[in-house]
Amino acid sequence: MKENSSFDHTIPHFKLTPPRAIMIGFGVMILIGTLLLNLPIATASGESIGFLDALFTATSANCVTGLVVVNTFDYWSIFGKVVILILIECGALGFMSILTLLMILMRKEISLKNRLVIQASFNQNSIGGMVRLVKKVVAITLSFQAVGAILLAITFYHSADMSVPEAIFNGIFHSISSFCNAGFDNIGTQSLLPFVTNPAINFIIMALVISGGLGFTVWIEIFDKFKNRKKQSLRIRINHLSLHTKIVLTVTGALIIGGTLFFLLCEWSNPATLGPLSTPEKVQASLFQSVTVRTVGFFTIDQGTLSDISKFFSSLLMLVGGSPVSTAGGIKTVTLGVIFFTMLSVIRGRNRIEAFGRTIPFEIMQKALMVISTILVIVLTATIILHFTEANN
């Protein structure tokens, strides 16, 4: 024990802390994905895409951003698309979730170090029940994706003139991509533009995107509350939800409704976006834009033809992203909610931060300010760099 302690003390950078383990895990997944996507078998043409483009695609898929350098439908082979799907799934669930699941299947014991990494991955306060948490996360993910895949496959078969194998594959592909908030599509150069008036595809994808963006802890709490056999009214069950879940649901709902109204107002008469659509179709397209622009990147109206104010507002929604412990990125809905309730408490002249009749610890507010400040600095710096690097292109 003394030798190990001395070694850790003299070479502290060799100590594998949970955050470092998470970073290494993502790095390993991206590297493996890069090597597989760089293989000639991964492309439809049989020619290697090149290491840099393979690295970009693997990183985008594993970090569920949806940015691409080539059209997914035309460029990648079935092998390449399956690799992308695996990277999306592993990225959304996290390296330790996948590793823990494999260890459970092989009946291996989960060590304390692994439990600590899982705790850090899911931002949990206690180390207890980590394996049970991973099981629930995987079960929730596969359940939503299975239902979404079936519904999308049926819809694609009847609405998109696809063969049965194509409809099944696209159902699976877009269900995983939607729930994981990845934004990769396998339709073609127009993405989901041809389906702007199709309510089935729009609402199935929106339901999957919202489900993935709410966060696993929110779903686990909701399922636990509503499976309780005690006779309680819906109002009582909602009142007993945690402050975290209430903030997530409230902010998510406000962003979706507010975004829909904003896009309706700004794009109503735009001939390149909502202009040619009927009133119900305009509402549907605005709702889809409000839901997907925040975390996914799917679109049913041309993003390049949006008005400048709509593009700016879309950027703000992207900045917020999804909720903690979800498949989405961004500063998170809870961070925005904490800042809002802090402002509200100051306006009301209160010396503590309150939300839904409960007190938000001062430390949480500090963390929220730190997250927003850090992200704003990064975004501002990246914007300035891109301005100069892209000025002559």
Side-chain angles (χ1 to χ4, degrees):
M1 290 297 293
K2 290 184 179 180
E3 292 180 358
N4 290 339
S5 301
S6 176
F7 181 79
D8 288 341
H9 178 73
T10 56
I11 315 180
H13 58 278
F14 280 170
K15 188 176 181 179
L16 191 62
T17 61
R20 290 175 182 173
I22 295 170
M23 292 177 61
I24 292 174
F26 270 98
V28 170
M29 288 191 292
I30 290 172
L31 178 59
I32 294 174
T34 300
L35 296 176
L36 292 175
L37 291 177
N38 197 35
L39 296 174
I41 193 177
T43 65
S45 63
E47 298 179 0
S48 174
I49 190 176
F51 183 82
L52 185 60
D53 287 339
L55 175 62
F56 185 96
T57 305
T59 303
S60 179
N62 198 237
C63 297
V64 290
T65 64
L67 297 174
V68 296
V69 290
V70 293
N71 181 267
T72 305
F73 174 75
D74 294 320
Y75 194 85
W76 299 106
S77 65
I78 294 295
F79 176 82
K81 293 173 184 177
V82 170
V83 171
I84 290 173
L85 277 184
I86 294 174
L87 286 170
I88 291 172
E89 192 82 306
C90 292
L93 290 175
F95 172 75
M96 279 310 303
S97 295
I98 301 299
L99 181 60
T100 302
L101 180 62
L102 292 175
M103 294 178 71
I104 292 173
L105 294 175
M106 294 187 295
R107 301 181 182 278
K108 299 288 185 179
E109 184 178 355
I110 312 299
S111 67
L112 178 60
K113 287 185 177 180
N114 289 337
R115 294 174 190 269
L116 288 171
V117 177
I118 297 171
Q119 180 190 8
S121 299
F122 290 101
N123 194 28
Q124 298 297 295
N125 297 322
S126 172
I127 195 175
M130 288 300 101
V131 175
R132 185 167 61 255
L133 175 63
V134 170
K135 290 180 179 179
K136 289 182 177 180
V137 166
V138 173
I140 290 171
T141 300
L142 296 181
S143 298
F144 274 110
Q145 290 176 348
V147 174
I150 293 171
L151 294 176
L152 283 174
I154 294 172
T155 308
F156 280 136
Y157 177 75
H158 290 287
S159 304
D161 194 27
M162 294 182 183
S163 65
V164 173
E166 288 176 332
I168 292 174
F169 181 78
N170 279 305
I172 296 172
F173 190 99
H174 291 92
S175 180
I176 293 175
S177 184
S178 298
F179 182 82
C180 294
N181 284 235
F184 281 77
D185 70 82
N186 191 45
I187 302 298
T189 55
Q190 291 186 304
S191 186
L192 298 177
L193 285 172
F195 304 107
V196 63
T197 60
N198 188 307
I201 290 178
N202 276 256
F203 282 96
I204 293 170
I205 288 179
M206 281 191 287
L208 287 167
V209 170
I210 294 171
S211 299
L214 286 179
F216 295 114
T217 52
V218 170
W219 280 116
I220 290 172
E221 182 178 357
I222 290 175
F223 290 146
D224 288 343
K225 292 290 183 183
F226 284 85
K227 76 178 181 180
N228 190 344
R229 296 183 179 181
K230 293 181 180 179
K231 293 183 178 180
Q232 294 177 331
S233 66
L234 178 62
R235 183 178 179 180
I236 293 177
R237 292 173 189 262
I238 293 175
N239 287 337
H240 287 174
L241 291 174
S242 67
L243 180 58
H244 170 87
T245 297
K246 287 183 177 180
I247 292 178
V248 167
L249 295 177
T250 302
V251 175
T252 299
L255 289 173
I256 292 173
I257 296 172
T260 302
L261 295 176
F262 186 92
F263 288 122
L264 272 174
L265 178 65
C266 295
E267 300 296 323
W268 184 275
S269 301
N270 187 342
T273 55
L274 300 184
L277 303 176
S278 65
T279 298
E281 290 170 349
K282 288 179 180 180
V283 174
Q284 177 179 284
S286 298
L287 179 61
F288 191 89
Q289 176 78 4
S290 179
V291 169
T292 60
V293 74
R294 194 157 48 87
T295 57
V296 186
F298 287 142
F299 57 89
T300 55
I301 54 178
D302 189 355
Q303 303 298 288
T305 59
L306 290 170
S307 61
D308 289 339
I309 186 63
S310 292
K311 291 178 181 177
F312 176 73
F313 187 73
S314 296
S315 299
L316 294 180
L317 290 177
M318 294 177 196
L319 189 65
V320 176
S323 302
V325 199
S326 72
T327 59
I331 63 172
K332 308 301 184 184
T333 55
V334 171
T335 302
L336 181 64
V338 169
I339 297 299
F340 172 78
F341 286 114
T342 300
M343 294 170 55
L344 198 60
S345 296
V346 172
I347 292 172
R348 292 175 174 176
R350 296 177 179 174
N351 56 6
R352 62 178 183 178
I353 307 168
E354 294 182 350
F356 302 105
R358 304 179 191 177
T359 301
I360 298 177
F362 183 74
E363 294 77 10
I364 300 298
M365 186 271 288
Q366 287 181 312
K367 290 181 180 179
L369 285 175
M370 183 274 295
V371 169
I372 288 184
S373 301
T374 303
I375 293 297
L376 288 178
V377 169
I378 294 174
V379 169
L380 179 61
T381 304
T383 301
I384 294 173
I385 294 173
L386 286 173
H387 169 75
F388 288 104
T389 56
E390 299 295 320
N392 298 324
N393 292 340

